[in-house]
Amino acid sequence: KSADSNNRLIMEPSLTRIDGIRVSPLLLGAIQDTDDGLKVRCNIAYITDPSKNVYGGTVTSEDLVVKVAKITSFTASQTDPIVGNTITLTCTATGGSAPTFSFTTDGR
């Protein structure tokens, strides 16, 4: 399905990163078990602009395959840690392949 025909696919406006590369994020919302194996491609259409030596055409990426994993539990060794103490965070997940875990705080 195209991003235009599926309300769970949200194509954000393109932007230019600080390294000069232009990107256009695609968000897949409300991921479901049935999305496992979903193939996504990026199709870029170039418009002819002779002033910039750009000739029109399209480029299509290879498939990106979505792999769905679920967090089945997330626990902390202490619910009320004291400053200076250590707590253990345990995350359990399932998926079609061995998941990779990482933890962030405040989005970092």
Side-chain angles (χ1 to χ4, degrees):
K1 293 184 176 184
S2 72
D4 296 334
S5 67
N6 186 333
N7 61 1
R8 293 187 314 122
L9 298 176
I10 302 163
M11 190 168 76
E12 293 190 335
S14 62
L15 51 104
T16 304
R17 299 186 323 198
I18 53 176
D19 60 5
I21 295 176
R22 190 169 206 172
V23 299
S24 184
L26 176 69
L27 306 177
L28 173 59
I31 293 176
Q32 302 165 5
D33 289 342
T34 55
D35 291 325
D36 193 46
L38 176 71
K39 294 180 181 177
V40 180
R41 285 187 175 188
C42 178
N43 185 27
I44 302 168
Y46 291 95
I47 299 172
T48 299
D49 184 350
S51 69
K52 295 181 181 173
N53 270 346
V54 174
Y55 298 93
T58 61
V59 176
T60 303
S61 72
E62 295 294 323
D63 288 341
L64 176 131
V65 180
V66 174
K67 295 185 179 188
V68 176
K70 293 186 220 176
I71 296 175
T72 56
S73 70
F74 184 62
T75 59
S77 61
Q78 297 179 37
T79 57
D80 54 346
I82 299 172
V83 173
N85 279 0
T86 300
I87 63 170
T88 301
L89 302 175
T90 304
C91 183
T92 306
T94 61
S97 59
T100 301
F101 294 92
S102 64
F103 293 90
T104 61
T105 177
D106 295 328
R108 294 178 274 160

